[in-house]
Amino acid sequence: MSTKRELGLVRTVKAVCPHDCPDTCGIVVTVDQETGRAVDLRGDKEHPFTKGFLCQKVSNYLERVYHPDRLLYPMKRIGPKGEGKFARISWDEAIRTIAEKFRAIAASEDGPQAILPYSYAGTMGKLMYSSLDRRFFHRLGASLLDRTICATAGAVGCDVTLGTRAVTDPEAAVNSRYIVNWGSNTAVTNIHFWKIEHEARKRGAKIVTIDPYKSPTAAKSDWWIPVRPGTDAALALGVMHIIFREGWQDDAYLNDHCVGAEQLRTRALNEYPPEKVAYITGLSVEEIERFAREYARSQELFGGPALIRLNYGLQRHGGGGMAVRTIVCLPALTGDWRYPGAGALLSTSKAYPFDDNYLMRPDLVPKNTRTINMVNLAEALHGELPGPSVQALFVYNSNPAAVNPDQSRVLSGLAREDLFTVVHDQFQTDTADFADIVLPATTQLEHFDIHSSYGHLYVQANNPAIAPLGEAKPNTEVFRLLARAMGFEPELFEESDEEIARRSIRDGENPPEPTAMTGITLDDTKAGPVRLKLPSNWAPFATGEFPTLSGKCELYSEREARAGRDPLPYYAPPHEDPQTKPELAAKYPLQLLTPPASSFLNSTFVNVNTLRKSAGERTLEIHPTDATRRNIADGQMVRVFNGRGRFRARAIIAESVKPGVVVSLGLWWRKFTDDGANCNSTTSTATTDFGGGATFFDNLVEVTAL
C-alpha cells in the first residue's frame, strides 16, 4: 500500500529553530497535505553546521506546537491578578482595549514613558525579536528597555579589548589542539560545536573545561578545572603572570597588533603571582602553573593552536564584564588569533550586517526618553526608578515572572491592581497569570522569519509550515494592528514580513562597500542556509585589524582611561563574595549557581510534559563536606534561602561542586513547583560592572534540611 509521501500527500518545509541558542539549527518539517498538520520535525541534514541533528528540546517541538494548553484566542482577566482566570474575547476588543489604555496613559501627565515594553529572546528571529515591535514603542514614545539580562557584560567586555565580539570561524575549530571551555557547558548548550570539539580531539586536541560546576561538558573533558565562582579574571591574570615570567608570549604579535603589552606585563607580574591567584580562585598553584603551560605552549605540546570557547555564565557576577575583557586578552599574548579556528569565541552575531536601523527605526525615539534596565523590573514596577511610575507593561518573547531576579518583588509588582499588563505568548505562563489582556502567539512553524546566529556563519529564512492555530498571530501582525488602532503612519508598519526581511539584508542593493551579505538574496535564504560572504577558515584578527579606536587589540584601553576607569585588566570580585563580604558570608556562606537544566532553555519548554518529566524535580547539588555540616542526607528535601527569598529542592550530595558552592538547575515555572517559587527568589537585581548585566551567579545563600 502506498504511503502518503509516495502519493504526494505530504510536503516538506525548511525552517529554523528560533530559540536562544548559538546553534540556530536547520529544521525540516513534514506536513500532511490533507489535514494541514505537521506530522514530523527533524534536523536538516543539508545544513553545513547543524548537519541534521537536534537537541532533546527541539526534537520534541511538535509537542509544544500541538500542546493542549496552547493559547488560541485573546482573553481578558475575570479574576484577581495571579489566579490566571480569563474569558475569551475577540481580537477587535483586545486591540481596542489596549489602544484606548495606551492613548489615555500617553495623554496623561506622566505621558507615554509610563508604558514599558518587556521582551527578550523567546524567539531570535530578526522580525519577531526586533522589528515592528521596536518601531511601535519608539513611535509611541514608551520607555526604552535595556535588554541586558543575558549577554551585555560580556559583549561590552569584549568590545573594550577587541572592539567587537571574540570571534573565529567555528567550523575551523577542528584545527585547534587545545580547546578550553571557559564557563561554557558546550556539550549541552552548543551541541554542534561540541561535536567539532570532539572531532578536534580525535585529531589530537585536548579539551579542558574551566567551571565551578562539573557540568556534562566538564565530565566529558580531558581535564576539569573547578575555579571558584566569579574569579575567572584572577585566573586569567595568573596565567598572564606565568606566560610573561617564562617568556612564552608572542612578542611579534604583541608588538605589531596590540597596545599596552608592557603595562599589562607589569601588572600581571607584580600583582597576580600564582600563590595569590590560588587563594582567590580556590585552585592549587600546581593547577594554575600546569594550565598556563599547556595553554601557552599548545603548539609545542599538542601540535596546534589554542581556542577558548567562553560563554555567558562566567559574566553573571559583579565583575563579569572585566572577566571577559581579561580572558580575551590571552590569545593576543599567545598569538593564537593568527590561526583559523583558534583564539577565542564568544559570539558570531556581529558578523551579520543586518540593517538594524531599518528594522527598529531608533530615529523615532523622542529626545530624553528614559531607559529602564530589564534587570531592574522589580524596581520599575514598584516606582523606585527616576521618571513616571510604570502604569502599563507589554510582555512578549519573555516570562519575567520566572526569569527575572528578585522574583518575589517582581510578582508583587505584577500584582498591582493599577498596572495594566498585556502578555502575548503561546502559553499561559506565570507572567500571563497576572495579565489583564492575553494575546495568543504563533509558534515558529506558523510564521515567516529570518535568522542570523551567534554560533555559526549561516543566514536562513524560516518558512511557515502550517497555518496559525486558532487565532494566534505573530508579533509583527500584533503591532500592525496596534499601530492602526493608534493611528500611526502606515508606511512604518504596513510592509509585509517578507519585504521587511528583504530590505533588512539589503537584497538587490549594490552597496559601494561589499558586506558579508552582499549578493545574498531572500530567495536564497528561503531555500536553505547560506554562508556569509566570508573566507573559508576565516580568522578575522590574523593580521590585527581590530575594530577598536586604535585598530589594535587594546590590552591598555585609552577609552577606559579617559572615562576615569582602570585602563588595564584587573580582578573585580563578585558583589557577594565570601572573601570580601565575610559578614554576609557568615549568614549565607554558600555560593549558589543556577545554570539551565538540559531539558529546558531558561524558562522555555518547562510546560512540555516530556521535557519536564525528563528534568525530574528541582535539585541542589552540594559537596559532602557542606552536607555533613548541615546534617543533610542524600535525597533529602532542603530549603535554600537568603534575605531575598527561598525555594525548596532535593539534595544531591556529590563532588560535582567544590566546598562552598551549590548548584540548582533551572528554570522552573512557579506553577510547576510545590512552593510557588524558583531559584530567582534568591537572586538580586545588582548589575555587572560593564553593560548593566544580570548577576544571577553572584548569590550567597544558606541551605537547611527540611
Side-chain angles (χ1 to χ4, degrees):
M1 190 172 179
S2 298
T3 65
K4 284 193 172 185
R5 187 180 298 274
E6 291 169 337
L7 294 172
L9 297 178
V10 297
R11 60 186 176 91
T12 58
V13 179
K14 294 263 190 175
V16 185
C17 174
H19 292 290
D20 189 1
C21 167
D23 293 42
T24 317
C25 292
I27 295 172
V28 176
V29 184
T30 302
V31 180
D32 186 315
Q33 298 269 55
E34 294 179 308
T35 64
R37 186 180 177 91
V39 294
D40 185 58
L41 181 148
R42 61 190 61 202
D44 183 358
K45 294 180 180 179
E46 297 178 354
H47 195 294
F49 187 81
T50 62
K51 296 184 177 179
F53 69 96
L54 301 173
C55 70
Q56 173 195 18
K57 300 176 280 289
V58 179
S59 293
N60 289 280
Y61 197 74
L62 291 185
E63 186 177 347
R64 179 179 177 85
V65 173
Y66 294 110
H67 197 290
D69 294 337
R70 270 290 300 275
L71 291 174
L72 299 177
Y73 308 100
M75 300 187 295
K76 67 178 179 181
R77 178 169 62 90
I78 57 173
K81 286 196 172 186
E83 284 193 4
K85 294 181 179 179
F86 295 91
R88 180 178 171 180
I89 58 175
S90 68
W91 269 101
D92 284 345
E93 181 180 348
I95 295 297
R96 183 174 64 252
T97 301
I98 298 167
E100 288 175 354
K101 191 69 174 180
F102 281 6
R103 274 196 296 268
I105 293 172
S108 72
E109 183 178 342
D110 286 333
Q113 292 189 62
I115 300 168
L116 178 67
Y118 190 100
S119 69
Y120 198 62
T123 169
M124 296 291 284
K126 299 297 289 187
L127 304 187
M128 301 304 151
Y129 176 79
S130 58
S131 64
L132 297 190
D133 58 311
R134 310 299 173 91
R135 294 187 191 183
F136 176 82
F137 289 112
H138 293 166
R139 173 63 180 81
L140 177 61
S143 288
L144 300 171
L145 184 73
D146 198 2
R147 292 170 173 84
T148 60
I149 204 163
C150 178
T152 52
V156 176
C158 273
D159 286 349
V160 172
T161 300
L162 309 174
T164 187
R165 306 296 184 271
V167 66
T168 189
D169 189 335
E171 292 170 277
V174 293
N175 300 319
S176 291
R177 291 296 173 265
Y178 197 76
I179 300 176
V180 183
N181 296 290
W182 202 322
S184 177
N185 186 11
T186 310
V188 171
T189 63
N190 193 185
I191 58 175
H192 297 88
F193 192 73
W194 176 253
K195 185 175 181 180
I196 290 173
E197 291 190 19
H198 189 66
E199 178 59 34
R201 179 156 58 184
K202 288 180 181 178
R203 301 183 188 187
K206 182 171 183 175
I207 299 177
V208 177
T209 294
I210 301 173
D211 199 313
Y213 171 53
K214 194 172 187 179
S215 65
T217 303
K220 295 174 183 177
S221 297
D222 299 303
W223 184 18
W224 171 41
I225 302 177
V227 69
R228 196 169 66 84
T231 64
D232 305 276
L235 176 57
L237 285 156
V239 170
M240 293 179 194
H241 174 103
I242 296 166
I243 290 173
F244 283 125
R245 184 193 72 197
E246 299 297 328
W248 292 334
Q249 72 276 8
D250 185 331
D251 286 321
Y253 195 89
L254 290 173
N255 291 334
D256 293 344
H257 307 306
C258 303
V259 293
E262 279 307 308
Q263 294 98 317
L264 181 59
R265 173 192 178 97
T266 298
R267 168 161 289 179
L269 289 175
N270 291 343
E271 300 179 30
Y272 293 95
E275 294 77 14
K276 178 180 177 180
V277 171
Y279 169 74
I280 294 170
T281 62
L283 302 172
S284 68
V285 170
E286 291 73 22
E287 287 173 307
I288 297 166
E289 292 274 0
R290 175 186 166 194
F291 173 62
R293 176 177 176 271
E294 290 184 356
Y295 171 72
R297 301 177 65 190
S298 65
Q299 294 273 9
E300 175 187 347
L301 297 174
F302 304 102
L307 170 67
I308 298 172
R309 174 60 172 120
L310 69 161
N311 217 326
Y312 295 111
L314 68 86
Q315 64 154 34
R316 294 196 174 114
H317 62 87
M322 182 55 71
V324 174
R325 163 168 169 45
T326 304
I327 291 167
V328 299
C329 292
L330 287 170
L333 270 65
T334 59
D336 283 312
W337 287 124
R338 300 180 187 276
Y339 309 105
L345 174 62
L346 176 65
S347 171
T348 61
S349 60
K350 298 294 282 187
Y352 293 82
F354 278 90
D355 189 347
D356 287 332
N357 286 329
Y358 159 73
L359 284 168
M360 295 186 278
R361 292 297 302 273
D363 57 295
L364 298 172
V365 178
K367 289 183 178 180
N368 301 316
T369 299
R370 70 171 172 179
T371 298
I372 293 177
N373 188 332
M374 68 190 306
V375 174
N376 299 124
L377 181 62
E379 289 86 346
L381 295 180
H382 285 277
E384 298 168 359
L385 300 178
S389 64
V390 175
Q391 298 177 30
L393 182 72
F394 194 114
V395 179
Y396 59 105
N397 295 352
S398 190
N399 181 14
V403 304
N404 257 75
D406 204 356
Q407 182 182 67
S408 62
R409 297 194 72 230
V410 169
L411 296 176
S412 62
L414 290 171
R416 282 173 39 205
E417 282 298 329
D418 64 334
L419 177 71
F420 177 71
T421 300
V422 180
V423 174
H424 182 218
D425 209 308
Q426 298 157 3
F427 297 98
Q428 191 172 318
T429 62
D430 287 344
T431 307
D433 286 342
F434 290 85
D436 295 282
I437 299 290
V438 174
L439 305 175
T442 48
T443 67
Q444 187 75 344
L445 270 59
E446 300 158 63
H447 58 238
F448 173 84
D449 213 331
I450 189 163
H451 289 257
S452 60
S453 169
Y454 62 97
H456 60 64
L457 299 173
Y458 294 86
V459 60
Q460 184 175 358
N462 177 77
N463 299 293
I466 60 175
L469 271 61
E471 296 179 4
K473 294 184 186 297
N475 291 347
T476 46
E477 186 58 25
V478 170
F479 289 104
R480 285 190 186 96
L481 292 173
L482 283 171
R484 290 171 199 158
M486 297 291 291
F488 291 164
E489 297 82 356
E491 60 268 23
L492 291 174
F493 298 96
E494 295 303 328
E495 292 175 287
S496 71
D497 286 359
E498 287 205 14
E499 182 57 28
I500 295 171
R502 193 180 309 279
R503 290 188 59 187
S504 74
I505 64 172
R506 301 177 177 89
D507 181 357
E509 295 183 19
N510 294 301
E513 294 292 332
T515 74
M517 289 199 294
T518 298
I520 295 176
T521 69
L522 184 63
D523 287 343
D524 293 336
T525 69
K526 290 170 69 175
V530 182
R531 183 179 163 100
L532 297 176
K533 304 297 184 178
L534 296 169
S536 179
N537 290 324
W538 180 53
F541 311 130
T543 57
E545 300 179 2
F546 293 91
T548 56
L549 291 176
S550 66
K552 296 187 176 185
C553 180
E554 297 193 347
L555 309 176
Y556 177 100
S557 170
E558 187 62 41
R559 184 182 71 179
E560 290 297 292
R562 287 198 302 269
R565 297 185 290 264
D566 195 324
L568 289 169
Y570 63 93
Y571 164 59
H575 297 305
E576 299 185 6
D577 185 88
Q579 292 182 358
T580 59
K581 298 290 178 62
E583 292 183 2
L584 183 63
K587 294 173 63 178
Y588 309 116
L590 300 173
Q591 293 183 272
L592 172 63
L593 303 178
T594 52
S598 61
S599 299
F600 307 148
L601 203 166
N602 300 319
S603 77
T604 305
F605 298 106
V606 177
N607 65 319
V608 176
N609 294 338
T610 298
L611 297 172
R612 194 171 63 259
K613 289 176 182 177
S614 173
E617 61 182 331
R618 290 185 296 173
T619 59
L620 184 85
E621 296 180 51
I622 184 170
H623 191 273
T625 301
D626 293 322
T628 300
R629 287 174 181 165
R630 293 161 176 79
N631 295 315
I632 294 171
D634 191 54
Q636 186 173 13
M637 291 300 295
V638 296
R639 181 180 63 153
V640 186
F641 65 96
N642 58 22
R644 290 178 288 268
R646 62 194 62 200
F647 66 96
R648 290 200 289 261
R650 192 171 300 281
I652 297 175
I653 299 175
E655 295 190 1
S656 54
V657 293
K658 296 167 68 76
V661 178
V662 288
V663 169
S664 184
L665 303 180
L667 192 64
W668 291 78
W669 293 12
R670 296 174 60 245
K671 63 182 66 180
F672 293 118
T673 68
D674 58 357
D675 58 356
N678 69 21
C679 54
N680 276 329
S681 63
T682 64
T683 55
S684 85
T685 59
T687 54
T688 56
D689 50 354
F690 294 165
T695 56
F696 292 116
F697 298 170
D698 192 336
N699 187 16
L700 287 177
V701 300
E702 180 57 291
V703 178
T704 58
L706 289 174

